[in-house]
Amino acid sequence: MAAKNPFIRDKAYIGGKWVSAKDGSSFEVKNPANGELIGSVPDMKAVDAEEAVKVAYDSFQTWKETIAKERQVILRRWDELVKKHKDDLAKLITLEMGKPVREALGEIAYAGSMIEWFAEEARRIYGDTIQAPTKSKRIVVIKQPIGVACMITPWNFPSAMITRKAAAALAAGCTIVLKPSEDTPFSALALAELAEQAGVPPGVFNVVTSSRASTPEVGKVMCTHPLSAGISFTGSTAVGKILMRHAADGVKHVAMELGGHAAFIVFNSADIDAAVNGAMVAKFRNAGQACVGANRFLVQSGVYDKFCDKLAQAMKDELKVGDGFQAGVTMGPLINERAVEKVEKHIKDAVDKGARVLLGGERHSRGGNFIVPTLISDVNTDMIVTQEETFGPLAPVIKFETEKEAVIIANAAKVGLASYFYTNDIPQAWRVAEALEVGMVGVNEGLVSTVETPFSGWKESGLGKEASKYGIEEYLQMKSIVFGGI
């Protein structure tokens, strides 16, 4: 499959050229479903990242002068090319991180929608006029691009997480230095190739590839280089804190989309069938490897057994584990052995503390990075699974009695990215939606991510926002201009 994909590249992309690391080193990228080699890419270091930032800064001097309509036209072409090559791009995602091809096609559609959206937003960057305190003055406000926008993106949505950042930055007039996950560099390089075909000038969109070992030094350059204007990162809270410390010295613009620990609450009044359908999406999309994925199920006592029974049945009926290229497969492998071990650790800890396994609980017969989707009941807040993000296909169900109790449990997390709840009580819907300490809430809905919806977290889930009409603001800075002597 790898050999047939036209987007497999063995070089990084800097200044409009396909380049190797200065020291000639490279690292291998393997398919998580079978361990087979997909290809190798340059293992770039700090010196390579420094060059990329300098190139991006030089290109910024001309890119920032383009008019919004020019940028819109280029972004529209990029979107058209992504749509044209959707099949190859989707297969590339499946190769790199394992999700089923059908699901990968959905990601490519989402990725393209971000480019389309921000192509339009390029022409909607508005300033302001302000009434002056004296007759001789006039005050206006304009918005200008911040400069070189550095980005570090994750493996779980290797195309969508790039376009959600990059399309906004390009629309604003910024240039980009992108460091994709070491697990999924080919998706990033494919998007760079299509951006070039769309007319993005050399040096405006740069991709630095680096191994897990080299990432810290590359990330530090992106956060501290004098010519870097800011850093946008999607990943763990722990790494986000490190990057923020680096960026603090230079007072850089910082946008962080960090870890989640979403609660999924089912109240007695809920439509249980609808709640189960929502749970299947919120929990098992991408094999549970989503920052907004449901990580804790809180079910009120009156419907607890019914919900558990129906969710178990839905899992049996709808989840087919296997290689993402196989027909009928709805859940692929986890990204690596560490991910599998974390799920196993959470299951064992819960069972040791009294939880019951209703479904799954072990590795899949395929071996490797595959694990059986698991449902556990009789879960309490002393268990690790209720305290940290699993990032895998494990659904732990906690029983609660009152609305207040559910909200307290949901808000106990240090992070606050997303939450979901199901109810047919309208006053309760308003109360709970406002009480949950998260950036996004799904009310009778298991999927909150759309191009129109602001994507942002509270507490330790990050800073800033992506997508929506607000996403472009992360790459703009405000300037007040006061005219006198009038």
Side-chain angles (χ1 to χ4, degrees):
M1 191 66 66
K4 296 180 181 179
N5 196 295
F7 290 112
I8 298 294
R9 287 278 189 173
D10 62 356
K11 298 286 192 297
Y13 185 73
I14 298 175
K17 299 177 181 178
W18 298 98
V19 297
S20 301
K22 289 186 180 298
D23 64 4
S25 61
S26 63
F27 65 97
E28 296 181 341
V29 181
K30 296 183 178 180
N31 184 335
N34 53 30
E36 292 181 359
L37 179 67
I38 301 173
S40 298
V41 293
D43 186 6
M44 292 185 151
K45 311 298 192 302
V47 64
D48 301 286
E50 289 170 357
E51 179 185 354
V53 172
K54 292 175 184 175
V55 167
Y57 182 78
D58 289 342
S59 297
F60 175 64
Q61 307 314 310
T62 52
W63 181 247
K64 69 180 180 180
E65 299 297 333
T66 57
I67 61 173
K69 187 173 182 179
E70 291 178 71
R71 300 195 297 274
Q72 179 196 43
V73 169
I74 291 172
L75 285 168
R76 279 184 174 276
R77 289 196 202 113
W78 192 23
D79 173 42
E80 290 167 1
L81 287 167
V82 167
K83 288 183 172 69
K84 178 181 178 180
H85 296 283
K86 63 182 181 180
D87 291 330
D88 286 326
L89 294 173
K91 290 174 183 177
L92 196 57
I93 290 174
T94 301
L95 270 177
E96 290 191 286
M97 60 76 57
K99 69 177 62 174
V101 172
R102 182 178 177 182
E103 195 170 328
L105 281 167
E107 178 180 340
I108 293 302
Y110 181 61
S113 74
M114 291 294 169
I115 304 173
E116 179 185 43
W117 176 270
F118 285 111
E120 299 297 328
E121 290 300 293
R123 300 183 71 175
R124 299 192 180 99
I125 300 172
Y126 299 118
D128 204 355
T129 58
I130 299 173
Q131 293 299 311
T134 65
K135 290 183 178 180
S136 63
K137 292 182 180 180
R138 299 293 185 272
I139 304 170
V140 297
V141 175
I142 64 172
K143 294 179 181 178
Q144 294 178 293
I146 63 171
V148 178
C150 292
M151 304 170 179
I152 301 176
T153 54
W155 51 264
N156 57 336
F157 292 91
S159 290
M161 294 304 94
I162 291 172
T163 60
R164 198 163 71 185
K165 298 177 190 293
L170 293 174
C174 294
T175 53
I176 295 167
V177 177
L178 168 69
K179 209 298 288 184
S181 168
E182 66 275 7
D183 294 309
T184 56
F186 294 116
S187 290
L189 296 170
L191 288 171
E193 182 173 345
L194 293 179
E196 180 185 79
Q197 292 179 23
V200 174
V204 171
F205 187 4
N206 306 279
V207 181
V208 174
T209 57
S210 59
S211 67
R212 187 179 184 88
S214 301
T215 292
E217 64 179 277
V218 170
K220 186 174 182 180
V221 169
M222 298 173 87
C223 293
T224 61
H225 197 288
L227 301 181
S228 168
I231 178 73
S232 177
F233 170 72
T234 297
S236 73
T237 298
V239 173
K241 290 179 178 179
I242 293 171
L243 296 174
M244 288 175 69
R245 292 188 192 103
H246 288 326
D249 284 342
V251 196
K252 307 292 188 183
H253 291 261
V254 174
M256 296 281 150
E257 194 269 279
L258 307 178
H261 190 38
F264 189 108
I265 307 169
V266 183
F267 290 102
N268 285 337
S269 68
D271 179 331
I272 300 305
D273 289 333
V276 168
N277 289 336
M280 292 296 291
V281 174
K283 174 71 259 182
F284 297 106
R285 181 171 63 113
N286 206 27
Q289 301 171 118
C291 54
V292 294
N295 209 64
R296 301 167 289 159
F297 287 86
L298 284 60
V299 182
Q300 201 160 13
S301 57
V303 293
Y304 185 86
D305 291 336
K306 183 178 181 181
F307 177 82
C308 288
D309 290 344
K310 290 204 168 192
L311 181 58
Q313 191 60 52
M315 291 168 64
K316 291 177 184 176
D317 293 343
E318 298 177 26
L319 298 179
K320 180 182 177 182
V321 178
D323 189 309
F325 286 108
Q326 294 178 341
V329 166
T330 59
M331 197 180 94
L334 299 192
I335 189 64
N336 53 38
E337 174 67 18
R338 294 189 305 277
V340 177
E341 290 174 352
K342 185 175 185 181
V343 175
E344 290 181 319
K345 173 187 172 184
H346 283 194
I347 294 171
K348 183 179 186 305
D349 174 79
V351 171
D352 288 347
K353 293 175 180 175
R356 291 189 301 127
V357 176
L358 301 182
L359 192 68
E362 68 276 333
R363 294 200 181 207
H364 196 273
S365 58
R366 293 180 63 99
N369 296 326
F370 293 92
I371 193 164
V372 178
T374 299
L375 176 64
I376 57 177
S377 65
D378 299 337
V379 174
N380 62 61
T381 55
D382 292 329
M383 299 171 184
I384 295 176
V385 71
T386 68
Q387 300 167 11
E388 63 182 41
E389 189 176 26
T390 303
F391 230 63
L394 169 60
V397 190
I398 303 168
K399 183 185 293 185
F400 72 89
E401 297 295 335
T402 67
E403 176 186 310
K404 181 179 179 180
E405 179 188 1
V407 171
I408 289 173
I409 293 172
N411 287 343
K414 292 182 179 180
V415 293
L417 190 58
S419 283
Y420 311 85
F421 68 91
Y422 278 72
T423 179
N424 281 327
D425 181 332
I426 294 176
Q428 182 178 62
W430 278 106
R431 289 194 305 270
V432 175
E434 292 178 352
L436 291 170
E437 297 171 353
V438 296
M440 296 168 283
V441 179
V443 184
N444 296 328
E445 175 58 56
L447 184 64
V448 295
S449 300
T450 68
V451 67
E452 298 86 359
T453 305
F455 196 103
S456 64
W458 286 20
K459 301 192 282 191
E460 292 189 15
S461 281
L463 300 167
K465 56 275 180 189
E466 294 184 342
S468 79
K469 68 177 184 179
Y470 303 104
I472 200 169
E473 296 292 334
E474 297 300 323
Y475 303 99
L476 294 168
Q477 50 196 351
M478 186 180 294
K479 178 182 288 183
S480 299
I481 304 174
V482 181
F483 294 88
I486 295 173

